[in-house]
C-alpha cells in the first residue's frame, strides 16, 4: 500500500518525530522499507515558501545547500 506524506508529516519526520504518533511513525517506517513512500511535489514548494517567509527555520543539519 502506498503511504503518501503531506507537508506537515515531512517536516515532523525530518526534525520533530516526537510530534508523530506511533501509528504514523510505523507507517513511515514500513513505507520506506517497502519502497511505498510518496509525497506531493507541492509539499517541497510549500516548505520553500515557509522558509522564504521566515515561518520555518531549518535545523542546522538541513540547510538549503546541504544536499
Amino acid at each position: 500500500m502506498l503511504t503518501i506524506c503531506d507537508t506537515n508529516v515531512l517536516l515532523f519526520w525530518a526534525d520533530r518525530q516526537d510530534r508523530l504518533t506511533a501509528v504514523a511513525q510505523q507507517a513511515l517506517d514500513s513505507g520506506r522499507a517497502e519502497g511505498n513512500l510518496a509525497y506531493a511535489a507541492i509539499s517541497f514548494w510549500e516548505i520553500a515558501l515557509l522558509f522564504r517567509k521566515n515561518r520555518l527555520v531549518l535545523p542546522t543539519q538541513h540547510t538549503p545547500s546541504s544536499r
Side-chain angles (χ1 to χ4, degrees), residues 2-63:
L2 190 63
T3 301
I4 302 173
C5 302
D6 72 358
T7 304
N8 286 331
V9 169
L10 291 172
L11 290 170
F12 294 160
W13 194 29
D15 190 53
R16 295 290 312 272
Q17 290 188 13
D18 59 308
R19 304 248 348 234
L20 297 171
T21 65
V23 173
Q25 186 65 53
Q26 183 179 13
L28 291 168
D29 292 341
S30 295
R32 185 176 186 188
E34 297 168 8
N36 293 326
L37 200 56
Y39 55 86
I42 195 85
S43 291
F44 292 97
W45 178 77
E46 290 175 346
I47 291 169
L49 282 182
L50 290 170
F51 178 74
R52 186 174 186 188
K53 293 179 180 184
N54 294 318
R55 293 186 59 207
L56 174 67
V57 177
L58 296 175
T60 55
Q61 72 270 23
H62 299 296
T63 63

